[in-house]
Amino acid sequence: MEPNSQETEKFLAMAARSHSITPAKPIEKKPPPPEQSTAMKRAVLFFNSILLAVGSCGGPLITRLYFVHGGNCVWLSSWLQSGGCPIIFIPLIISYIFRRRAASRSGNSTKMIFVKLRLFLSAAAIGLIIGFDNYLYTYGIARLPVSTSALIIACQLAFTAAFAYLLVNQRFTRYSIMAIVLMTTGAAVLASHTSGDLPAGVSNKQYRAGFLTTLSAAFLYGMILPLVELTYEKSKQQITYTLVLEIQLILSVFATILSTVGMLINNNFQEIGREAAEFGLGETKYYVVLVMNAVIWQSFFLGAVGVIFSSSSLFSGVLIAVMLPATEILGVIFLKEKFHAEKGVSLVLNLCGFVCYLVGEIKNDQTKTLELQTTA
């Protein structure tokens, strides 16, 4: 028994020494997420909101300007809504240069293209839908004043909300529901006075056809925004802003392909020279209008997908809807359209709806912050 007791004492002594020599490793705490990422995300959201606002207000105005002064090619005008996509190569090249410099410092390589086949095919399919939607919208705005065609932008919010709920399980709060109701009511108020907005040279039949096509375009684009968000979620890739730019390029390219086919079938390319010579503002300004058309609409689509990336498809729809009153006022100023009392009521309802949505988002952010602090 004695030898065993000695061996036990030796073993205990060795264990005590090893325990004193090898201290326990402290539990490594993960660093909190950097505040810069949140600030950067907000900056990207703000930048894309500005792009979306410029496109939402300027797009309908420049398109209507084309038709008011003698333009007649619907497929050409719809082509311009996506034909400015080469502009996207500028931020893509800048992004690649910065990524390449950062990678060279660390001795790593960087990719030139991030989009994979699955995401490419999804974006291509949505791009074809956008091309058809552009045609429907352009067909309508060729026969309606801006003050009436802007109605589709507000109606689009209700469609966006419905598809966001069905496709991406968008959660609604009492604030977002109230915002949708207010903005949709503003659109209904506008619809009550459209009978007095019949443009010169447009028959009642053409007016009704234009009204139906613009509503169809609103329905279709209300589906497109959640589809883009769903594509982000199902892509099985990390969605970065560079990838968003690549997606927008694909969307625009395939929308342009569809419009190009329509132009070829209807011989619109041959009509450009004749339209330029007969354009009411002059031949030079005709081409300026075409170029600005492409640039402004590209701003709209790039802003829309950027807002979806930074926030949600519903918020993108809200921003589009809240620009409706500004579009109305600009149509009155630059295109000499009438400003009825109904448009003033619509202005107030849309602004109230937007403020309501922002209040809901602020309260939602505060709730998330409290939850994170509680679980930390």
Side-chain angles (χ1 to χ4, degrees):
M1 296 296 293
E2 187 174 352
N4 289 340
S5 62
Q6 290 178 354
E7 291 177 1
T8 302
E9 290 177 359
K10 289 180 180 179
F11 177 77
L12 292 173
M14 291 175 61
R17 286 195 299 269
S18 65
H19 181 73
S20 62
I21 293 171
T22 310
K25 291 183 178 180
I27 299 174
E28 296 182 359
K29 294 183 179 180
K30 293 182 179 180
E35 295 182 1
Q36 185 179 359
S37 59
T38 303
M40 181 61 69
K41 190 172 183 180
R42 289 177 179 174
V44 171
L45 177 60
F46 178 77
F47 173 71
N48 283 280
S49 298
I50 296 298
L51 290 178
L52 184 58
V54 171
S56 295
C57 295
L61 292 173
I62 196 73
T63 301
R64 184 60 188 162
L65 184 69
Y66 165 78
F67 288 109
V68 165
H69 291 284
N72 293 302
C73 298
V74 175
W75 275 113
L76 170 61
S77 187
S78 61
W79 185 93
L80 292 171
Q81 293 185 33
S82 56
C85 55
I87 297 173
I88 303 175
F89 281 111
I90 297 174
L92 281 175
I93 292 172
I94 294 173
S95 173
Y96 176 72
I97 291 173
F98 278 101
R99 284 186 285 110
R100 186 174 181 180
R101 287 179 180 176
S104 62
R105 294 191 195 101
S106 57
N108 299 322
S109 60
T110 183
K111 290 183 178 180
M112 180 176 289
I113 300 173
F114 288 98
V115 65
K116 295 181 180 178
L117 180 62
R118 176 190 178 96
L119 188 55
F120 175 86
L121 294 175
S122 299
I126 297 174
L128 293 174
I129 298 174
I130 290 175
F132 180 63
D133 181 74
N134 289 345
Y135 176 78
L136 290 175
Y137 176 78
T138 306
Y139 184 91
I141 205 171
R143 290 154 179 81
L144 303 175
V146 169
S147 56
T148 303
S149 62
L151 167 67
I152 71 168
I153 300 177
C155 288
Q156 179 180 296
L157 177 61
F159 298 132
T160 301
F163 282 112
Y165 176 77
L166 293 173
L167 297 178
V168 294
N169 297 320
Q170 174 69 50
R171 293 177 60 186
F172 292 98
T173 65
R174 63 179 182 273
Y175 294 99
S176 58
I177 293 173
M178 193 179 300
I180 292 168
V181 170
L182 287 170
M183 291 183 176
T184 307
T185 304
V189 170
L190 279 180
S192 66
H193 202 90
T194 52
S195 59
D197 284 338
L198 191 68
V202 177
S203 66
N204 287 324
K205 184 177 180 180
Q206 290 175 326
Y207 183 91
R208 287 193 294 270
F211 196 89
L212 289 175
T213 54
T214 51
L215 287 177
S216 300
F219 176 84
L220 196 57
Y221 199 72
M223 179 180 65
I224 288 171
L225 293 176
L227 274 178
V228 172
E229 185 175 357
L230 182 65
T231 301
Y232 290 168
E233 293 181 358
K234 301 295 183 181
S235 63
K236 296 182 178 179
Q237 288 186 241
Q238 182 183 1
I239 303 297
T240 62
Y241 191 64
T242 300
L243 184 57
V244 168
L245 292 173
E246 293 180 4
I247 292 172
Q248 173 57 25
L249 181 62
I250 297 167
L251 295 174
S252 296
V253 165
F254 279 86
T256 305
I257 289 173
L258 182 69
S259 298
T260 302
V261 173
M263 288 183 67
L264 290 171
I265 294 174
N266 291 273
N267 297 319
N268 281 175
F269 286 105
Q270 290 83 350
E271 292 290 322
I272 294 176
R274 181 191 61 80
E275 279 194 350
E278 299 174 358
F279 195 62
L281 298 177
E283 185 172 355
T284 301
K285 289 184 179 179
Y286 173 82
Y287 291 108
V288 172
V289 168
L290 295 191
V291 172
M292 292 304 298
N293 216 318
V295 172
I296 291 174
W297 277 114
Q298 197 56 225
S299 172
F300 170 81
F301 288 111
L302 186 57
V305 296
V307 169
I308 294 172
F309 162 73
S310 305
S311 182
S312 67
S313 58
L314 180 61
F315 185 59
S316 182
V318 168
L319 283 178
I320 293 171
V322 81
M323 289 299 110
L324 169 64
T327 306
E328 298 280 341
I329 294 171
L330 291 172
V332 171
I333 295 173
F334 293 106
L335 299 178
K336 308 301 180 184
E337 295 180 356
K338 298 177 182 179
F339 189 84
H340 304 290
E342 290 83 357
K343 295 179 182 178
V345 175
S346 176
L347 169 63
V348 174
L349 289 173
N350 276 272
L351 291 177
C352 289
F354 183 65
V355 170
C356 186
Y357 185 87
L358 284 182
V359 170
E361 288 297 299
I362 292 171
K363 287 185 175 293
N364 189 38
D365 289 342
Q366 291 175 348
T367 302
K368 289 181 179 179
T369 303
L370 289 174
E371 289 177 353
L372 290 174
Q373 291 175 353
T374 304
T375 55

